[in-house]
Amino acid sequence: MLDTYREVVTPEGVPLHLPAAGPVPRALAWLIDLGVRMAIMLVLGTVLALMGGLGQGLRLVLLFAVTWAYPIVCEVAWDGQTPGKRAMGLRVVGGDGAPVGWLQAIVRNLLRTVDALPFGYATGLVASLCDRHGRRVGDLVADTLVVHVPPPAAAPQVPAVPARAPGQPLRADEQAAIVAFGERAPQLPPARRAELAGLLQPLTGATGAAGVERLYGIANALLGRR
């Protein structure tokens, strides 16, 4: 398998599961970054070409910066992502799951010269196919890993039921419990929802589906909705 999870246990004993990225999404991210680099060189290089000898010197500096500094600075300053990696939902992290540092970013990107040998990143491709976590030579030496960024989880929402006053004073913990029920109940089976709502029958005056609906209404009222 090209994309597998790497488990890392933190010093606190918490296991982290890092979804390692294979060569295909990484290659697509590299192509996007190549396009960004070419666009930068086209725009700024055209302007510098009009400046004569000074412009030619600055153009060489720009070429060096775009070739080498671009990925290093982006990965360190932009949470392990270049524009291409962000577009593909990828991120570079340390082998322990920590944010990538300057030394790691420099080493992994300088070793692209090795990964590119003998042509077309053949060495890097072979290395990534042989490694269970899809790491190329630069990643192995720098102890880094390219992972998929999980999509942000949608915030739970209470179903759109007309707000209903609870009818009696509620403590803060009771209010929090009702709101939590309203947010999580839609993911529960109907029988479980009805069972939990039945525990609050003295508050809602109903059981079953009617009790669930009334709890949704009370939750919306506690959240200030109408």
Side-chain angles (χ1 to χ4, degrees), residues 66-77:
V66 168
T67 303
W68 297 107
Y70 167 89
I72 295 172
V73 174
C74 285
E75 289 177 358
V76 176

Side-chain angles (χ1 to χ4, degrees), residues 108-127:
R108 74 181 303 274
N109 281 289
L110 288 182
L111 284 176
R112 288 183 183 276
T113 54
V114 176
D115 284 303
L117 297 174
F119 59 86
Y121 276 86
T123 299
L125 177 61
V126 171

Side-chain angles (χ1 to χ4, degrees), residues 33-119:
D33 284 322
L34 177 63
V36 173
R37 295 179 187 181
M38 292 178 64
I40 293 174
M41 288 300 304
L42 179 63
V43 174
L44 296 183
T46 302
V47 175
L48 294 175
L50 301 176
M51 300 174 60
L54 176 61
Q56 290 300 320
L58 293 176
R59 188 173 181 276
L60 293 177
V61 174
L62 175 64
L63 178 62
F64 175 84
V66 168
T67 303
W68 297 107
Y70 167 89
I72 295 172
V73 174
C74 285
E75 289 177 358
V76 176
W78 211 11
D79 197 19
Q81 294 180 305
T82 61
K85 287 185 176 67
R86 175 159 292 195
M88 294 301 301
L90 305 179
R91 172 176 290 135
V92 181
V93 298
D96 57 355
V100 66
W102 281 105
L103 180 59
Q104 290 176 307
I106 291 172
V107 171
R108 74 181 303 274
N109 281 289
L110 288 182
L111 284 176
R112 288 183 183 276
T113 54
V114 176
D115 284 303
L117 297 174
F119 59 86

Side-chain angles (χ1 to χ4, degrees), residues 2 30 38 41 96 105 120 144 149 152 159 185 197 207 221 226:
L2 299 183
W30 183 85
M38 292 178 64
M41 288 300 304
D96 57 355
T144 56
V149 179
T207 58
R226 298 188 178 184

Side-chain angles (χ1 to χ4, degrees), residues 1-5 20 127-135:
M1 294 179 63
L2 299 183
D3 292 349
T4 58
Y5 281 83
S128 65
L129 291 176
C130 293
D131 184 79
R132 62 177 298 187
H133 302 302
R135 293 172 295 181

